[in-house]
């Protein structure tokens, strides 16, 4: 939780990085610095987390297909966004190539899991192995690019990684035997021993028949929770501090002994593995992979997610992913009841367009008015609510100060 | 042989149009260190205004209006968004321009719909044949206009005080500010200029060989990103890899 205070040169720790405030107030030791938030946070936060998790576990028993699918899109987007937030939010490395790694994950899974046919190649591996293989493949693809990723700073990496999108689109459309070309490929469902993630009948729990979407929901949770937990651990530990320092002041990081290029390359590989997992999960939900989905707009969507949610934290990525991926679905579903949103094709603003405009505007508004994103808003609200609890904790106000002027 | 010459002329002409786009992109990047992902939407805005107005105003006035609209849109983005964003991380600024791009492009493509708009250019589909080599007039016009504009920019960049201020800002913003260069003006000018260049490029992206301005035009604009990068975004004269 606590960071070494960033170099005191006016590069303020950005939003999600709340530690510098505390460190500057001169909290005597590291133990005290750690104990401070834990004392106030631990029990309610853990309880709330556990309750939220139980609710998420219970949801498939109540929700219809529409909501389950929306939730699954959000979960896969959340995994990908966490990865991108490690790279762009925590390290300040812009990546336009995230969609490419999602595609590697999705197509990697399909290729590894499918049987070889007359027109399409495949390895026919057991599907869980193929899923892991897809993540490893995405990581390897990130590794191939990492010599470049390690050397380039910030926006320059963004420009360089744009090339990945163009290369990726070309390969996806033209490597027919691998990717199925324009029409894409069917995705074989994941089969664990004794449990297939498809619509096969026979799985009934608490009198609720569990179809493919319900089963995938649990798979999504089983992937998202460790993904978020790992990212949180990375960000709060030593690597996280190193990454934040690189973002805030590269020279200072190098002086303090952080191997800048190695960390940049490493976080790039890690983020592409997250993208690979997200892509493979997405393929399982869609049941078919099509190349045009993995274009530049997907990369832009992911960047919008982490900015809207809050840069540099796993929770921010999850919040932004839910916002961006649920918005079009909700507007499509409830568009009839909303003013200004017209049915598709009637000349007015269609739900899909309305949602794009809304989240494009949300990106701008968040950067202008809500530094720290949705998560920053949340902790600011909490900060506004805390003082009423009592006179103790003079520190939290500094603790929550998101944007030093 | 004549086919070869035709291909070369067409290629160089297309390349010079992309150079206009890439030049605007690089101007912004050098003046403000912001990667402007909204560039395609500025281009679309300029083209759209020209297309809508050319029936009423005539081609030249409409083109002027389109250029002004795109320049104004660029300046507005700078004043309303980038200047107010209190972030030091340029990656975040790049993402903001993505937000702007999403809003503008979505609204413009919605207005354009499935139509293909003509920009009312005077060249139409006439073809000039010189010594057995046939080239569309539009391609010649594109080549000439782009050459003139780029030359004018380079001369202004070298010799006017505005150009000097901009070069100084690109070299080292803080020092330039201390020397009295108004960075806000430089960046405002860069955005407006980039918008204007994009509007001109929009015209030549949509004339004769291509059917007209449609919702895919902004994708064509995206092709200029690699051009800007391959040409090297360090000193502003970005060279176009002649398509």
């Amino acid at each position: 939780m606590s960071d070494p205070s960033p170099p005191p040169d006016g590069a303020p720790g950005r939003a999600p990085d709340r530690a510098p405030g505390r460190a500057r107030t001169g909290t005597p030791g590291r133990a005290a610095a750690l104990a401070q938030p834990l004392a106030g946070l631990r029990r309610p936060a853990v309880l709330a987390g556990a309750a939220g998790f139980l609710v998420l576990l219970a949801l498939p028993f109540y929700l219809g297909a529409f909501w389950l699918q929306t939730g699954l899109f959000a979960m896969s987007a959340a995994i990908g966004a966490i990865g991108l937030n490690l790279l762009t939010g925590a390290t300040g490395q812009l990546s336009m190539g995230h969609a490419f790694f999602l595609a590697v994950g999705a197509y990697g899974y399909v290729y590894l899991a499918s049987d070889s046919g007359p027109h399409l190649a495949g390895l026919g591996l057991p599907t869980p192995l193929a899923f892991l293989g897809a993540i490893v493949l995405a990581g390897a693809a990130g590794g191939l690019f990492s010599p470049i990723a390690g050397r380039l700073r910030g926006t320059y990496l963004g420009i360089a990684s744009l090339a990945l999108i163009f290369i990726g689109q070309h390969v996806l459309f033209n490597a027919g035997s691998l990717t199925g070309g324009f029409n894409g490929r069917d995705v074989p469902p994941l089969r664990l021993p004794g449990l297939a993630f498809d619509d096969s009948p026979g799985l009934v729990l608490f009198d609720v028949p569990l179809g493919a979407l319900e089963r995938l929901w649990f798979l999504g949770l089983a992937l998202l929770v460790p993904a978020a937990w790992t990212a949180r651990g990375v960000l709060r530990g030593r690597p996280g501090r190193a990454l934040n320092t690189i973002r805030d002041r590269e020279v200072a990081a190098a002086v303090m002994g952080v191997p800048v290029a190695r960390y940049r390359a490493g976080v790039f590989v890690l983020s592409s593995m997250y993208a690979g997992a997200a892509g493979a999960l997405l393929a399982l939900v869609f049941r078919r992979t099509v190349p045009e989905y993995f274009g530049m707009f997907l990369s832009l969507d992911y960047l919008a997610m982490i900015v809207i949610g809050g840069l540099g934290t796993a929770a921010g990525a999850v919040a932004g992913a839910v916002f961006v991926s649920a918005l079009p679905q909700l507007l499509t579903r409830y568009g009839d009841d909303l003013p200004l949103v017209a049915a598709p094709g009637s000349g007015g603003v269609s739900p899909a367009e309305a949602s794009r405009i809304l989240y494009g505007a949300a990106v701008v508004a968040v950067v202008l008015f809500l530094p720290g994103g949705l998560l920053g808003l949340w902790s600011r609200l909490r900060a506004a609510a805390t003082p009423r609890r009592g006179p103790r904790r003079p520190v939290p106000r500094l603790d929550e100060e998101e944007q030093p002027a | 042989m004549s086919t070869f010459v035709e291909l070369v002329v067409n290629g160089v002409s297309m390349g010079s149009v992309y150079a206009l786009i890439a030049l605007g992109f690089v101007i912004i990047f050098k003046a403000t260190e912001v990667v402007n992902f909204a560039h395609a939407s500025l281009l679309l805005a300029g083209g759209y205004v020209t297309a809508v107005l050319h029936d009423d105003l005539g081609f030249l006035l409409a083109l002027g209006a389109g250029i002004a609209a795109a320049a104004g849109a660029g300046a507005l983005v700078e004043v309303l968004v980038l200047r107010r964003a209190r972030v030091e991380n340029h990656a975040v600024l790049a993402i903001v321009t993505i937000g702007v791009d999403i809003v503008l492009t979505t609204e413009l493509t919605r207005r354009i719909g499935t139509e293909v708009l003509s920009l009312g250019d005077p060249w139409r589909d006439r073809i000039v044949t010189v010594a057995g080599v046939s080239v569309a007039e539009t391609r010649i016009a594109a080549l000439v206009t782009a050459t003139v504009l780029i030359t004018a920019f380079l001369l202004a960049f070298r010799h006017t005080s505005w150009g000097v201020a901009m070069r100084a800002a690109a070299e080292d913003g803080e020092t330039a500010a201390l020397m009295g260069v108004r960075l806000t003006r430089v960046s405002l000018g860069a955005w407006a200029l980039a918008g204007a260049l994009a509007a001109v490029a929009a015209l030549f992206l949509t004339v004769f060989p291509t059917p007209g301005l449609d919702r895919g035009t902004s994708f064509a604009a995206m092709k200029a990103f690699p051009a800007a990068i391959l040409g090297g975004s360090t000193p502003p004269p970005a060279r176009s890899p002649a398509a």
Side-chain angles (χ1 to χ4, degrees):
Chain A
M1 180 80 197
S2 97
D3 277 23
S5 64
D9 56 4
R14 243 159 308 283
D17 180 17
R18 290 185 238 130
R22 189 178 310 114
R24 279 198 203 112
T25 58
T27 316
R30 185 156 169 238
L34 278 174
Q36 191 109 41
L38 292 186
L41 267 178
R42 170 162 264 170
R43 259 190 254 135
V46 169
L47 280 180
F53 187 66
L54 284 180
V55 169
L56 283 177
L57 274 185
L59 279 178
F61 296 103
Y62 299 98
L63 294 183
F66 167 79
W67 288 105
L68 286 176
Q69 197 157 25
T70 308
L72 278 166
F73 285 144
M75 282 191 222
S76 110
I79 296 174
I82 290 172
L84 188 64
N85 219 351
L86 287 173
L87 182 67
T88 304
T91 322
Q93 295 282 82
L94 185 64
S95 171
M96 299 290 294
H98 215 56
F100 172 77
F101 295 108
L102 280 154
V104 172
Y107 279 94
Y109 171 76
V110 177
Y111 172 72
L112 293 175
S114 304
D115 291 319
S116 224
H119 303 294
L120 296 170
L123 294 186
L125 295 178
T127 47
L129 209 60
F131 197 93
L132 289 180
I135 301 177
V136 172
L137 262 184
L144 284 179
F145 197 71
S146 68
I148 302 173
R151 286 185 177 78
L152 292 175
R153 176 167 54 88
T155 2
Y156 294 92
L157 177 64
I159 300 176
S161 56
L162 199 58
L164 287 178
I165 294 283
F166 289 99
I167 296 170
Q169 286 288 297
H170 182 78
V171 171
L172 290 187
F173 275 107
N174 293 304
S177 67
L178 211 60
T179 65
F182 181 78
N183 292 319
R185 281 184 85 160
D186 281 327
V187 180
L190 187 68
R191 286 175 206 284
L192 294 179
L195 174 64
F197 289 87
D198 55 15
D199 275 324
S200 58
L203 186 60
V204 178
L205 208 57
F206 304 124
D207 282 342
V208 179
L210 297 182
L213 286 175
E214 284 87 352
R215 299 175 200 183
L216 281 171
W217 178 280
F218 294 118
L219 177 70
L221 276 185
L223 289 171
L224 175 59
V225 170
W229 197 258
T230 311
R232 198 177 116 116
V234 167
L235 286 171
R236 294 192 167 186
R238 222 177 134 80
R241 296 179 202 174
L243 297 176
N244 286 347
T245 319
I246 292 175
R247 173 194 67 194
D248 289 336
R249 188 63 42 143
E250 185 186 338
V251 176
V255 168
M256 287 164 80
V258 176
V260 173
R262 210 167 69 204
Y263 264 102
R264 276 185 181 153
V267 77
F268 193 83
V269 172
L270 185 62
S271 110
S272 49
M273 290 175 79
Y274 269 94
L281 178 60
L282 199 66
L284 288 173
V285 180
F286 270 134
R287 300 191 205 182
R288 189 165 183 91
T289 52
V290 282
E292 59 179 20
Y293 179 78
F294 298 98
M296 192 153 105
F297 285 113
L298 190 64
S299 285
L300 301 188
D301 284 357
Y302 274 90
L303 288 171
M305 284 174 205
I306 61 170
V307 170
I308 292 176
L311 287 169
T313 55
V318 175
V322 171
F323 181 86
V324 169
S325 53
L327 192 63
Q329 306 269 358
L330 292 184
L331 284 178
T332 311
R333 170 117 181 189
Y334 296 107
D336 297 342
D337 307 327
L338 294 173
L340 299 177
V341 177
S346 67
V349 184
S350 76
E353 289 162 349
S355 68
R356 286 193 75 79
I357 290 182
L358 264 179
Y359 86 73
V363 170
V364 177
V366 160
V367 172
L368 287 185
F369 307 116
L370 267 188
L374 293 178
L375 199 68
L377 179 70
W378 165 244
S379 48
R380 228 185 284 177
L381 289 178
R382 225 177 44 194
T386 350
R388 280 182 222 142
R389 267 199 220 147
R392 88 198 152 86
R393 307 179 69 187
V395 184
R397 292 186 61 85
L398 274 175
D399 177 22
E400 313 293 357
E401 193 176 67
E402 288 299 326
Q403 280 284 310
Chain B
M1 184 63 198
S2 65
T3 326
F4 174 73
V5 176
E6 279 168 21
L7 283 178
V8 168
V9 173
N10 281 328
V12 171
S13 164
M14 270 328 275
S16 65
V17 175
Y18 285 132
L20 282 180
I21 306 173
L23 183 61
F25 184 80
V26 172
I27 290 174
I28 291 179
F29 184 71
K30 285 311 289 180
T32 60
E33 277 194 45
V34 174
V35 179
N36 176 23
F37 287 108
H39 210 65
S41 65
L42 293 182
L43 182 140
L44 202 57
Y48 178 73
V49 170
T50 314
V52 169
L53 293 180
H54 80 86
D55 268 342
D56 301 330
L57 296 182
F59 170 68
L60 277 182
L61 274 181
L63 180 62
I67 292 174
L76 270 184
V77 172
E78 204 274 343
V79 172
L80 293 182
V81 179
L82 290 175
R83 195 173 286 183
R84 285 165 210 283
R86 293 170 304 160
V87 278
E88 296 205 349
N89 191 347
H90 290 292
V92 177
L93 288 179
I95 300 175
V96 179
T97 65
I98 292 174
V100 173
D101 182 67
I102 291 173
V103 174
L104 268 178
T105 308
T106 310
E107 176 59 18
L108 286 167
T109 48
R110 184 183 74 77
R111 283 168 180 275
I112 294 168
T114 50
E115 289 176 63
V116 178
L117 303 173
S118 154
L119 264 58
D121 61 288
W123 306 289
R124 302 190 185 275
D125 54 357
R126 282 198 297 272
I127 290 176
V128 183
T129 308
V130 178
V133 179
S134 307
V135 181
E137 276 186 19
T138 50
R139 293 297 99 208
I140 299 174
L143 187 56
V144 171
T145 317
T147 314
V148 168
L149 284 177
I150 292 173
T151 317
F153 171 78
L154 290 182
L155 286 179
F157 195 70
R158 289 271 138 77
H159 299 296
T160 63
S161 60
W162 171 83
V164 173
M166 188 145 162
R167 266 153 61 202
E171 196 70 37
D172 185 339
E174 280 178 25
T175 314
L178 288 173
M179 302 297 224
V181 173
R182 299 194 194 177
L183 292 185
T184 50
R185 251 187 222 182
V186 169
S187 103
L188 186 68
W191 275 85
L193 184 64
L197 290 176
V200 177
L203 168 69
F204 292 113
L205 275 183
T206 53
V207 288
F208 167 51
T210 36
L213 183 79
D214 58 19
R215 50 198 315 162
T217 304
S218 62
F219 285 111
M222 283 296 177
K223 286 188 200 156
F225 275 92
I229 297 151
L230 290 177
S233 42
T234 13
R239 282 168 194 57
S240 77

